Amino acid sequence: MMSSMNRMASTIAAVATAGVLLMPMGTAHAQTTKVDDPADATGSLADIRTVRVRHGVDQVRVRATFTDLRKHGGGVTSAAVFIDTRPGRKGPELALVTGLEYGTDYTLVKVRRWKFVGEPITCDHRLRLDYRRDLMTFRVARSCFEDPRRVRVAMRMDDFTDRSHLITDWMTGRRQFTEWLTRG
């Protein structure tokens, strides 16, 4: 017959063992950065305000907010998210190109010297536009660009709603990237 002291010691040992077994082993994490962009695209409702990039184990996620993202803007407003994966090579390797109005399409393309080249890339990527929150969320599997160790992002918005002139807004400046992010 087990004494109450032995029972309590056994219970404590069992709880401690379960706690160790349930503890995550080497938890994976993602590196994240956020860039605030000033209100600098006067005349456009789609002025880029913030860009948050998360480089995770399986995907890269870019969340961008705008001044006033409209479902039906009455013109042509688009965005391009440029992804750089090779520090030794000038410029980005991939870009997501999308319209910002409801019903527009999006595509992932290769980039050379800041120009879109070739056919659209067919790999795991998604885009969501949330007009109530003025938010664009873009997710792309890391396998789309050969599982890079580091990434950085640049973003551009083009607004031709006025039809008399094009308004272009780069996140923090023309062809400026976020810091390099290493995956978790």
mmCIF file of all heavy atoms in Angstrom, residues 62 79-85 91-98 106-123 125 127 136 138-140 144-145 152-156 170 177:
data_model
loop_
_atom_site.group_PDB
_atom_site.id
_atom_site.type_symbol
_atom_site.label_atom_id
_atom_site.label_comp_id
_atom_site.label_asym_id
_atom_site.label_seq_id
_atom_site.Cartn_x
_atom_site.Cartn_y
_atom_site.Cartn_z
ATOM 1 N N VAL A 62 3.145 39.612 -46.346
ATOM 2 C CA VAL A 62 3.243 41.068 -46.410
ATOM 3 C C VAL A 62 1.844 41.631 -46.166
ATOM 4 O O VAL A 62 0.900 41.261 -46.852
ATOM 5 C CB VAL A 62 3.770 41.535 -47.783
ATOM 6 C CG1 VAL A 62 3.829 43.051 -47.848
ATOM 7 C CG2 VAL A 62 5.134 40.918 -48.087
ATOM 8 N N ALA A 79 -0.826 47.821 -57.167
ATOM 9 C CA ALA A 79 0.317 47.719 -56.261
ATOM 10 C C ALA A 79 1.252 46.629 -56.760
ATOM 11 O O ALA A 79 0.820 45.678 -57.421
ATOM 12 C CB ALA A 79 -0.144 47.415 -54.843
ATOM 13 N N ALA A 80 2.523 46.795 -56.433
ATOM 14 C CA ALA A 80 3.529 45.767 -56.713
ATOM 15 C C ALA A 80 4.349 45.572 -55.444
ATOM 16 O O ALA A 80 4.843 46.543 -54.863
ATOM 17 C CB ALA A 80 4.424 46.183 -57.868
ATOM 18 N N VAL A 81 4.450 44.323 -55.010
ATOM 19 C CA VAL A 81 5.276 43.961 -53.862
ATOM 20 C C VAL A 81 6.489 43.230 -54.418
ATOM 21 O O VAL A 81 6.356 42.162 -55.015
ATOM 22 C CB VAL A 81 4.511 43.057 -52.872
ATOM 23 C CG1 VAL A 81 5.419 42.627 -51.728
ATOM 24 C CG2 VAL A 81 3.263 43.750 -52.353
ATOM 25 N N PHE A 82 7.670 43.824 -54.255
ATOM 26 C CA PHE A 82 8.916 43.262 -54.776
ATOM 27 C C PHE A 82 9.626 42.489 -53.675
ATOM 28 O O PHE A 82 9.792 43.002 -52.571
ATOM 29 C CB PHE A 82 9.823 44.377 -55.279
ATOM 30 C CG PHE A 82 9.246 45.156 -56.423
ATOM 31 C CD1 PHE A 82 8.537 46.321 -56.199
ATOM 32 C CD2 PHE A 82 9.412 44.724 -57.733
ATOM 33 C CE1 PHE A 82 7.997 47.053 -57.245
ATOM 34 C CE2 PHE A 82 8.872 45.438 -58.783
ATOM 35 C CZ PHE A 82 8.170 46.603 -58.542
ATOM 36 N N ILE A 83 10.058 41.254 -53.992
ATOM 37 C CA ILE A 83 10.728 40.406 -53.006
ATOM 38 C C ILE A 83 12.149 40.118 -53.481
ATOM 39 O O ILE A 83 12.357 39.580 -54.563
ATOM 40 C CB ILE A 83 9.954 39.089 -52.797
ATOM 41 C CG1 ILE A 83 8.535 39.391 -52.334
ATOM 42 C CG2 ILE A 83 10.676 38.214 -51.779
ATOM 43 C CD1 ILE A 83 7.635 38.189 -52.269
ATOM 44 N N ASP A 84 13.094 40.484 -52.636
ATOM 45 C CA ASP A 84 14.516 40.268 -52.914
ATOM 46 C C ASP A 84 14.992 39.117 -52.042
ATOM 47 O O ASP A 84 14.743 39.108 -50.836
ATOM 48 C CB ASP A 84 15.294 41.542 -52.589
ATOM 49 C CG ASP A 84 16.733 41.489 -53.076
ATOM 50 O OD1 ASP A 84 17.095 40.584 -53.842
ATOM 51 O OD2 ASP A 84 17.505 42.391 -52.678
ATOM 52 N N THR A 85 15.651 38.137 -52.655
ATOM 53 C CA THR A 85 16.105 36.963 -51.920
ATOM 54 C C THR A 85 17.609 36.732 -52.034
ATOM 55 O O THR A 85 18.139 35.854 -51.371
ATOM 56 C CB THR A 85 15.393 35.695 -52.434
ATOM 57 O OG1 THR A 85 15.723 35.505 -53.816
ATOM 58 C CG2 THR A 85 13.894 35.796 -52.255
ATOM 59 N N GLY A 91 18.688 44.220 -56.953
ATOM 60 C CA GLY A 91 17.254 44.220 -57.231
ATOM 61 C C GLY A 91 16.535 42.963 -56.799
ATOM 62 O O GLY A 91 17.137 41.980 -56.391
ATOM 63 N N PRO A 92 15.209 42.988 -56.910
ATOM 64 C CA PRO A 92 14.375 41.855 -56.484
ATOM 65 C C PRO A 92 14.335 40.735 -57.525
ATOM 66 O O PRO A 92 14.644 40.952 -58.693
ATOM 67 C CB PRO A 92 12.996 42.489 -56.337
ATOM 68 C CG PRO A 92 13.000 43.603 -57.332
ATOM 69 C CD PRO A 92 14.402 44.127 -57.361
ATOM 70 N N GLU A 93 13.914 39.564 -57.060
ATOM 71 C CA GLU A 93 13.772 38.408 -57.951
ATOM 72 C C GLU A 93 12.312 38.138 -58.312
ATOM 73 O O GLU A 93 12.028 37.558 -59.356
ATOM 74 C CB GLU A 93 14.355 37.147 -57.299
ATOM 75 C CG GLU A 93 15.869 37.088 -57.303
ATOM 76 C CD GLU A 93 16.487 38.070 -56.321
ATOM 77 O OE1 GLU A 93 16.069 38.129 -55.157
ATOM 78 O OE2 GLU A 93 17.399 38.797 -56.753
ATOM 79 N N LEU A 94 11.387 38.516 -57.434
ATOM 80 C CA LEU A 94 9.961 38.252 -57.654
ATOM 81 C C LEU A 94 9.134 39.488 -57.344
ATOM 82 O O LEU A 94 9.569 40.358 -56.591
ATOM 83 C CB LEU A 94 9.464 37.141 -56.719
ATOM 84 C CG LEU A 94 9.941 35.726 -56.952
ATOM 85 C CD1 LEU A 94 9.355 34.804 -55.896
ATOM 86 C CD2 LEU A 94 9.556 35.234 -58.318
ATOM 87 N N ALA A 95 7.931 39.522 -57.912
ATOM 88 C CA ALA A 95 6.980 40.592 -57.575
ATOM 89 C C ALA A 95 5.559 40.059 -57.669
ATOM 90 O O ALA A 95 5.230 39.282 -58.563
ATOM 91 C CB ALA A 95 7.143 41.777 -58.521
ATOM 92 N N LEU A 96 4.748 40.498 -56.719
ATOM 93 C CA LEU A 96 3.311 40.301 -56.808
ATOM 94 C C LEU A 96 2.770 41.585 -57.412
ATOM 95 O O LEU A 96 3.085 42.679 -56.947
ATOM 96 C CB LEU A 96 2.679 40.114 -55.433
ATOM 97 C CG LEU A 96 1.148 40.199 -55.492
ATOM 98 C CD1 LEU A 96 0.563 38.858 -55.876
ATOM 99 C CD2 LEU A 96 0.570 40.704 -54.207
ATOM 100 N N VAL A 97 1.971 41.451 -58.467
ATOM 101 C CA VAL A 97 1.361 42.605 -59.122
ATOM 102 C C VAL A 97 -0.144 42.441 -59.005
ATOM 103 O O VAL A 97 -0.682 41.383 -59.350
ATOM 104 C CB VAL A 97 1.786 42.686 -60.607
ATOM 105 C CG1 VAL A 97 1.221 43.932 -61.247
ATOM 106 C CG2 VAL A 97 3.300 42.641 -60.738
ATOM 107 N N THR A 98 -0.829 43.487 -58.513
ATOM 108 C CA THR A 98 -2.262 43.371 -58.284
ATOM 109 C C THR A 98 -2.976 44.694 -58.471
ATOM 110 O O THR A 98 -2.402 45.755 -58.228
ATOM 111 C CB THR A 98 -2.562 42.851 -56.856
ATOM 112 O OG1 THR A 98 -3.974 42.685 -56.715
ATOM 113 C CG2 THR A 98 -2.042 43.799 -55.789
ATOM 114 N N TYR A 106 -4.559 39.231 -59.654
ATOM 115 C CA TYR A 106 -3.182 39.387 -59.195
ATOM 116 C C TYR A 106 -2.341 38.257 -59.767
ATOM 117 O O TYR A 106 -2.855 37.203 -60.144
ATOM 118 C CB TYR A 106 -3.106 39.411 -57.668
ATOM 119 C CG TYR A 106 -3.541 38.125 -56.987
ATOM 120 C CD1 TYR A 106 -2.622 37.140 -56.653
ATOM 121 C CD2 TYR A 106 -4.881 37.910 -56.660
ATOM 122 C CE1 TYR A 106 -3.016 35.978 -56.016
ATOM 123 C CE2 TYR A 106 -5.282 36.757 -56.020
ATOM 124 C CZ TYR A 106 -4.342 35.793 -55.698
ATOM 125 O OH TYR A 106 -4.735 34.647 -55.060
ATOM 126 N N THR A 107 -1.024 38.492 -59.844
ATOM 127 C CA THR A 107 -0.125 37.475 -60.371
ATOM 128 C C THR A 107 1.254 37.635 -59.747
ATOM 129 O O THR A 107 1.644 38.724 -59.330
ATOM 130 C CB THR A 107 -0.052 37.542 -61.909
ATOM 131 O OG1 THR A 107 0.651 36.404 -62.393
ATOM 132 C CG2 THR A 107 0.634 38.811 -62.382
ATOM 133 N N LEU A 108 1.976 36.551 -59.700
ATOM 134 C CA LEU A 108 3.349 36.532 -59.213
ATOM 135 C C LEU A 108 4.253 36.366 -60.424
ATOM 136 O O LEU A 108 4.035 35.466 -61.248
ATOM 137 C CB LEU A 108 3.523 35.364 -58.235
ATOM 138 C CG LEU A 108 4.789 35.308 -57.415
ATOM 139 C CD1 LEU A 108 4.894 36.510 -56.487
ATOM 140 C CD2 LEU A 108 4.816 34.021 -56.584
ATOM 141 N N VAL A 109 5.242 37.255 -60.577
ATOM 142 C CA VAL A 109 6.119 37.225 -61.748
ATOM 143 C C VAL A 109 7.581 37.335 -61.339
ATOM 144 O O VAL A 109 7.902 37.834 -60.263
ATOM 145 C CB VAL A 109 5.790 38.376 -62.738
ATOM 146 C CG1 VAL A 109 4.415 38.215 -63.335
ATOM 147 C CG2 VAL A 109 5.924 39.722 -62.070
ATOM 148 N N LYS A 110 8.461 36.883 -62.230
ATOM 149 C CA LYS A 110 9.899 37.056 -62.032
ATOM 150 C C LYS A 110 10.265 38.491 -62.371
ATOM 151 O O LYS A 110 9.613 39.136 -63.201
ATOM 152 C CB LYS A 110 10.692 36.092 -62.908
ATOM 153 C CG LYS A 110 10.589 34.658 -62.458
ATOM 154 C CD LYS A 110 11.465 33.763 -63.306
ATOM 155 C CE LYS A 110 11.319 32.327 -62.821
ATOM 156 N NZ LYS A 110 12.160 31.407 -63.575
ATOM 157 N N VAL A 111 11.340 38.962 -61.744
ATOM 158 C CA VAL A 111 11.805 40.329 -61.963
ATOM 159 C C VAL A 111 13.303 40.320 -62.239
ATOM 160 O O VAL A 111 14.065 39.617 -61.562
ATOM 161 C CB VAL A 111 11.519 41.213 -60.711
ATOM 162 C CG1 VAL A 111 12.043 42.622 -60.908
ATOM 163 C CG2 VAL A 111 10.046 41.224 -60.386
ATOM 164 N N ARG A 112 13.716 41.081 -63.245
ATOM 165 C CA ARG A 112 15.138 41.296 -63.563
ATOM 166 C C ARG A 112 15.330 42.790 -63.773
ATOM 167 O O ARG A 112 14.615 43.404 -64.583
ATOM 168 C CB ARG A 112 15.567 40.560 -64.832
ATOM 169 C CG ARG A 112 15.426 39.059 -64.766
ATOM 170 C CD ARG A 112 16.513 38.417 -63.887
ATOM 171 N NE ARG A 112 16.381 36.985 -63.874
ATOM 172 C CZ ARG A 112 15.722 36.292 -62.949
ATOM 173 N NH1 ARG A 112 15.113 36.896 -61.974
ATOM 174 N NH2 ARG A 112 15.650 34.976 -62.996
ATOM 175 N N ARG A 113 16.261 43.360 -63.035
ATOM 176 C CA ARG A 113 16.546 44.800 -63.144
ATOM 177 C C ARG A 113 15.286 45.648 -62.989
ATOM 178 O O ARG A 113 15.061 46.575 -63.748
ATOM 179 C CB ARG A 113 17.264 45.102 -64.441
ATOM 180 C CG ARG A 113 18.623 44.442 -64.527
ATOM 181 C CD ARG A 113 19.350 44.862 -65.801
ATOM 182 N NE ARG A 113 20.587 44.126 -65.893
ATOM 183 C CZ ARG A 113 20.845 43.194 -66.780
ATOM 184 N NH1 ARG A 113 19.948 42.896 -67.697
ATOM 185 N NH2 ARG A 113 21.999 42.578 -66.779
ATOM 186 N N TRP A 114 14.436 45.273 -62.033
ATOM 187 C CA TRP A 114 13.202 45.974 -61.697
ATOM 188 C C TRP A 114 12.141 45.919 -62.792
ATOM 189 O O TRP A 114 11.191 46.671 -62.788
ATOM 190 C CB TRP A 114 13.479 47.426 -61.303
ATOM 191 C CG TRP A 114 14.200 47.521 -59.998
ATOM 192 C CD1 TRP A 114 15.564 47.608 -59.833
ATOM 193 C CD2 TRP A 114 13.647 47.490 -58.701
ATOM 194 N NE1 TRP A 114 15.874 47.651 -58.502
ATOM 195 C CE2 TRP A 114 14.708 47.587 -57.776
ATOM 196 C CE3 TRP A 114 12.352 47.412 -58.210
ATOM 197 C CZ2 TRP A 114 14.509 47.594 -56.410
ATOM 198 C CZ3 TRP A 114 12.155 47.429 -56.838
ATOM 199 C CH2 TRP A 114 13.225 47.520 -55.953
ATOM 200 N N LYS A 115 12.276 45.000 -63.758
ATOM 201 C CA LYS A 115 11.276 44.832 -64.817
ATOM 202 C C LYS A 115 10.699 43.422 -64.725
ATOM 203 O O LYS A 115 11.407 42.462 -64.458
ATOM 204 C CB LYS A 115 11.904 45.058 -66.184
ATOM 205 C CG LYS A 115 12.421 46.477 -66.365
ATOM 206 C CD LYS A 115 12.786 46.725 -67.800
ATOM 207 C CE LYS A 115 13.453 48.050 -68.015
ATOM 208 N NZ LYS A 115 12.806 49.204 -67.557
ATOM 209 N N PHE A 116 9.393 43.309 -64.987
ATOM 210 C CA PHE A 116 8.722 42.019 -64.973
ATOM 211 C C PHE A 116 9.117 41.231 -66.212
ATOM 212 O O PHE A 116 9.100 41.766 -67.323
ATOM 213 C CB PHE A 116 7.199 42.205 -64.948
ATOM 214 C CG PHE A 116 6.729 43.135 -63.853
ATOM 215 C CD1 PHE A 116 5.799 44.111 -64.121
ATOM 216 C CD2 PHE A 116 7.212 43.034 -62.561
ATOM 217 C CE1 PHE A 116 5.353 44.967 -63.132
ATOM 218 C CE2 PHE A 116 6.783 43.878 -61.561
ATOM 219 C CZ PHE A 116 5.854 44.852 -61.841
ATOM 220 N N VAL A 117 9.468 39.950 -66.021
ATOM 221 C CA VAL A 117 9.897 39.110 -67.145
ATOM 222 C C VAL A 117 9.194 37.749 -67.091
ATOM 223 O O VAL A 117 8.884 37.242 -66.021
ATOM 224 C CB VAL A 117 11.432 38.893 -67.157
ATOM 225 C CG1 VAL A 117 12.156 40.196 -67.397
ATOM 226 C CG2 VAL A 117 11.924 38.245 -65.889
ATOM 227 N N GLY A 118 8.979 37.183 -68.257
ATOM 228 C CA GLY A 118 8.453 35.832 -68.352
ATOM 229 C C GLY A 118 6.981 35.701 -68.030
ATOM 230 O O GLY A 118 6.253 36.675 -67.863
ATOM 231 N N GLU A 119 6.564 34.459 -67.964
ATOM 232 C CA GLU A 119 5.176 34.098 -67.672
ATOM 233 C C GLU A 119 4.919 34.151 -66.169
ATOM 234 O O GLU A 119 5.857 34.046 -65.382
ATOM 235 C CB GLU A 119 4.903 32.676 -68.184
ATOM 236 C CG GLU A 119 5.008 32.537 -69.684
ATOM 237 C CD GLU A 119 3.965 33.350 -70.415
ATOM 238 O OE1 GLU A 119 2.794 33.338 -69.991
ATOM 239 O OE2 GLU A 119 4.325 34.026 -71.396
ATOM 240 N N PRO A 120 3.658 34.273 -65.779
ATOM 241 C CA PRO A 120 3.337 34.240 -64.349
ATOM 242 C C PRO A 120 3.824 32.941 -63.703
ATOM 243 O O PRO A 120 3.850 31.883 -64.340
ATOM 244 C CB PRO A 120 1.817 34.307 -64.318
ATOM 245 C CG PRO A 120 1.447 34.989 -65.590
ATOM 246 C CD PRO A 120 2.474 34.529 -66.595
ATOM 247 N N ILE A 121 4.207 33.036 -62.450
ATOM 248 C CA ILE A 121 4.695 31.884 -61.698
ATOM 249 C C ILE A 121 3.495 31.188 -61.065
ATOM 250 O O ILE A 121 2.636 31.837 -60.460
ATOM 251 C CB ILE A 121 5.685 32.337 -60.610
ATOM 252 C CG1 ILE A 121 6.897 32.990 -61.258
ATOM 253 C CG2 ILE A 121 6.108 31.169 -59.739
ATOM 254 C CD1 ILE A 121 7.804 33.691 -60.268
ATOM 255 N N THR A 122 3.444 29.868 -61.221
ATOM 256 C CA THR A 122 2.357 29.101 -60.602
ATOM 257 C C THR A 122 2.922 28.372 -59.393
ATOM 258 O O THR A 122 3.595 27.359 -59.531
ATOM 259 C CB THR A 122 1.740 28.098 -61.600
ATOM 260 O OG1 THR A 122 2.787 27.294 -62.133
ATOM 261 C CG2 THR A 122 1.025 28.811 -62.718
ATOM 262 N N CYS A 123 2.693 28.931 -58.237
ATOM 263 C CA CYS A 123 3.082 28.313 -56.978
ATOM 264 C C CYS A 123 2.113 28.818 -55.916
ATOM 265 O O CYS A 123 1.232 29.623 -56.212
ATOM 266 C CB CYS A 123 4.536 28.639 -56.626
ATOM 267 S SG CYS A 123 4.840 30.384 -56.347
ATOM 268 N N HIS A 125 0.506 30.981 -53.578
ATOM 269 C CA HIS A 125 0.452 32.372 -53.116
ATOM 270 C C HIS A 125 -1.000 32.843 -53.121
ATOM 271 O O HIS A 125 -1.814 32.342 -53.886
ATOM 272 C CB HIS A 125 1.330 33.292 -53.978
ATOM 273 C CG HIS A 125 0.915 33.413 -55.400
ATOM 274 N ND1 HIS A 125 1.140 32.424 -56.340
ATOM 275 C CD2 HIS A 125 0.276 34.408 -56.061
ATOM 276 C CE1 HIS A 125 0.664 32.812 -57.506
ATOM 277 N NE2 HIS A 125 0.133 34.006 -57.370
ATOM 278 N N LEU A 127 -3.732 36.423 -52.161
ATOM 279 C CA LEU A 127 -3.889 37.843 -51.886
ATOM 280 C C LEU A 127 -5.294 38.071 -51.349
ATOM 281 O O LEU A 127 -6.255 37.473 -51.840
ATOM 282 C CB LEU A 127 -3.705 38.668 -53.156
ATOM 283 C CG LEU A 127 -3.949 40.165 -52.958
ATOM 284 C CD1 LEU A 127 -2.698 40.832 -52.409
ATOM 285 C CD2 LEU A 127 -4.373 40.808 -54.241
ATOM 286 N N MET A 136 -4.263 45.146 -47.329
ATOM 287 C CA MET A 136 -3.916 44.135 -48.327
ATOM 288 C C MET A 136 -3.015 43.120 -47.639
ATOM 289 O O MET A 136 -2.034 43.489 -46.997
ATOM 290 C CB MET A 136 -3.154 44.770 -49.490
ATOM 291 C CG MET A 136 -2.715 43.754 -50.545
ATOM 292 S SD MET A 136 -1.628 44.494 -51.794
ATOM 293 C CE MET A 136 -0.046 44.291 -50.994
ATOM 294 N N PHE A 138 -0.798 39.645 -48.425
ATOM 295 C CA PHE A 138 -0.213 38.796 -49.464
ATOM 296 C C PHE A 138 0.634 37.738 -48.774
ATOM 297 O O PHE A 138 1.449 38.050 -47.903
ATOM 298 C CB PHE A 138 0.652 39.657 -50.384
ATOM 299 C CG PHE A 138 1.602 38.899 -51.269
ATOM 300 C CD1 PHE A 138 1.151 37.895 -52.103
ATOM 301 C CD2 PHE A 138 2.950 39.207 -51.284
ATOM 302 C CE1 PHE A 138 2.021 37.202 -52.926
ATOM 303 C CE2 PHE A 138 3.830 38.527 -52.104
ATOM 304 C CZ PHE A 138 3.367 37.517 -52.922
ATOM 305 N N ARG A 139 0.394 36.482 -49.144
ATOM 306 C CA ARG A 139 1.169 35.363 -48.607
ATOM 307 C C ARG A 139 1.750 34.572 -49.759
ATOM 308 O O ARG A 139 1.053 34.291 -50.733
ATOM 309 C CB ARG A 139 0.290 34.459 -47.765
ATOM 310 C CG ARG A 139 -0.194 35.131 -46.525
ATOM 311 C CD ARG A 139 -1.037 34.208 -45.701
ATOM 312 N NE ARG A 139 -1.394 34.910 -44.475
ATOM 313 C CZ ARG A 139 -2.510 34.741 -43.833
ATOM 314 N NH1 ARG A 139 -3.392 33.892 -44.283
ATOM 315 N NH2 ARG A 139 -2.758 35.409 -42.742
ATOM 316 N N VAL A 140 3.017 34.208 -49.627
ATOM 317 C CA VAL A 140 3.669 33.412 -50.666
ATOM 318 C C VAL A 140 4.523 32.342 -49.982
ATOM 319 O O VAL A 140 5.231 32.617 -49.012
ATOM 320 C CB VAL A 140 4.508 34.300 -51.625
ATOM 321 C CG1 VAL A 140 5.592 35.062 -50.886
ATOM 322 C CG2 VAL A 140 5.104 33.482 -52.764
ATOM 323 N N CYS A 144 8.302 29.043 -53.418
ATOM 324 C CA CYS A 144 8.162 29.770 -54.687
ATOM 325 C C CYS A 144 9.479 30.408 -55.123
ATOM 326 O O CYS A 144 9.661 30.719 -56.290
ATOM 327 C CB CYS A 144 7.097 30.862 -54.571
ATOM 328 S SG CYS A 144 5.422 30.231 -54.415
ATOM 329 N N PHE A 145 10.362 30.661 -54.176
ATOM 330 C CA PHE A 145 11.654 31.240 -54.540
ATOM 331 C C PHE A 145 12.798 30.470 -53.899
ATOM 332 O O PHE A 145 13.675 31.026 -53.251
ATOM 333 C CB PHE A 145 11.756 32.738 -54.217
ATOM 334 C CG PHE A 145 10.937 33.204 -53.055
ATOM 335 C CD1 PHE A 145 11.311 32.949 -51.762
ATOM 336 C CD2 PHE A 145 9.769 33.906 -53.288
ATOM 337 C CE1 PHE A 145 10.568 33.404 -50.693
ATOM 338 C CE2 PHE A 145 9.011 34.354 -52.216
ATOM 339 C CZ PHE A 145 9.408 34.105 -50.935
ATOM 340 N N ARG A 152 13.881 40.471 -48.240
ATOM 341 C CA ARG A 152 13.516 41.854 -47.942
ATOM 342 C C ARG A 152 12.499 42.279 -48.986
ATOM 343 O O ARG A 152 12.402 41.662 -50.054
ATOM 344 C CB ARG A 152 14.728 42.785 -47.909
ATOM 345 C CG ARG A 152 15.459 42.893 -49.214
ATOM 346 C CD ARG A 152 16.674 43.781 -49.060
ATOM 347 N NE ARG A 152 17.358 43.913 -50.340
ATOM 348 C CZ ARG A 152 18.261 44.828 -50.603
ATOM 349 N NH1 ARG A 152 18.610 45.702 -49.664
ATOM 350 N NH2 ARG A 152 18.841 44.882 -51.782
ATOM 351 N N VAL A 153 11.730 43.326 -48.689
ATOM 352 C CA VAL A 153 10.595 43.696 -49.525
ATOM 353 C C VAL A 153 10.614 45.192 -49.823
ATOM 354 O O VAL A 153 10.976 46.002 -48.974
ATOM 355 C CB VAL A 153 9.272 43.316 -48.806
ATOM 356 C CG1 VAL A 153 8.062 43.910 -49.491
ATOM 357 C CG2 VAL A 153 9.138 41.807 -48.717
ATOM 358 N N ALA A 154 10.201 45.533 -51.046
ATOM 359 C CA ALA A 154 9.921 46.914 -51.443
ATOM 360 C C ALA A 154 8.497 46.920 -51.974
ATOM 361 O O ALA A 154 7.984 45.884 -52.410
ATOM 362 C CB ALA A 154 10.893 47.389 -52.520
ATOM 363 N N MET A 155 7.857 48.086 -51.941
ATOM 364 C CA MET A 155 6.469 48.150 -52.416
ATOM 365 C C MET A 155 6.208 49.466 -53.128
ATOM 366 O O MET A 155 6.715 50.512 -52.734
ATOM 367 C CB MET A 155 5.501 48.007 -51.246
ATOM 368 C CG MET A 155 4.066 47.921 -51.686
ATOM 369 S SD MET A 155 3.019 47.471 -50.307
ATOM 370 C CE MET A 155 1.433 47.629 -51.097
ATOM 371 N N ARG A 156 5.391 49.360 -54.198
ATOM 372 C CA ARG A 156 5.007 50.530 -54.981
ATOM 373 C C ARG A 156 3.504 50.496 -55.253
ATOM 374 O O ARG A 156 2.947 49.450 -55.535
ATOM 375 C CB ARG A 156 5.759 50.528 -56.315
ATOM 376 C CG ARG A 156 5.464 51.753 -57.176
ATOM 377 C CD ARG A 156 6.103 51.652 -58.545
ATOM 378 N NE ARG A 156 5.315 50.739 -59.367
ATOM 379 C CZ ARG A 156 5.821 49.930 -60.290
ATOM 380 N NH1 ARG A 156 7.105 49.892 -60.522
ATOM 381 N NH2 ARG A 156 5.036 49.143 -60.988
ATOM 382 N N TRP A 170 6.113 54.988 -53.458
ATOM 383 C CA TRP A 170 7.014 53.927 -53.028
ATOM 384 C C TRP A 170 7.043 53.903 -51.502
ATOM 385 O O TRP A 170 7.051 54.958 -50.873
ATOM 386 C CB TRP A 170 8.437 54.169 -53.526
ATOM 387 C CG TRP A 170 8.644 53.852 -54.964
ATOM 388 C CD1 TRP A 170 8.507 54.694 -56.019
ATOM 389 C CD2 TRP A 170 9.049 52.597 -55.510
ATOM 390 N NE1 TRP A 170 8.789 54.054 -57.183
ATOM 391 C CE2 TRP A 170 9.133 52.756 -56.904
ATOM 392 C CE3 TRP A 170 9.345 51.355 -54.960
ATOM 393 C CZ2 TRP A 170 9.501 51.716 -57.757
ATOM 394 C CZ3 TRP A 170 9.719 50.320 -55.803
ATOM 395 C CH2 TRP A 170 9.787 50.505 -57.189
ATOM 396 N N PHE A 177 14.087 49.101 -49.809
ATOM 397 C CA PHE A 177 13.688 47.830 -49.216
ATOM 398 C C PHE A 177 13.572 47.935 -47.694
ATOM 399 O O PHE A 177 14.148 48.815 -47.074
ATOM 400 C CB PHE A 177 14.727 46.751 -49.529
ATOM 401 C CG PHE A 177 14.707 46.253 -50.943
ATOM 402 C CD1 PHE A 177 15.623 46.729 -51.858
ATOM 403 C CD2 PHE A 177 13.789 45.299 -51.340
ATOM 404 C CE1 PHE A 177 15.620 46.264 -53.164
ATOM 405 C CE2 PHE A 177 13.774 44.825 -52.651
ATOM 406 C CZ PHE A 177 14.691 45.315 -53.559
#
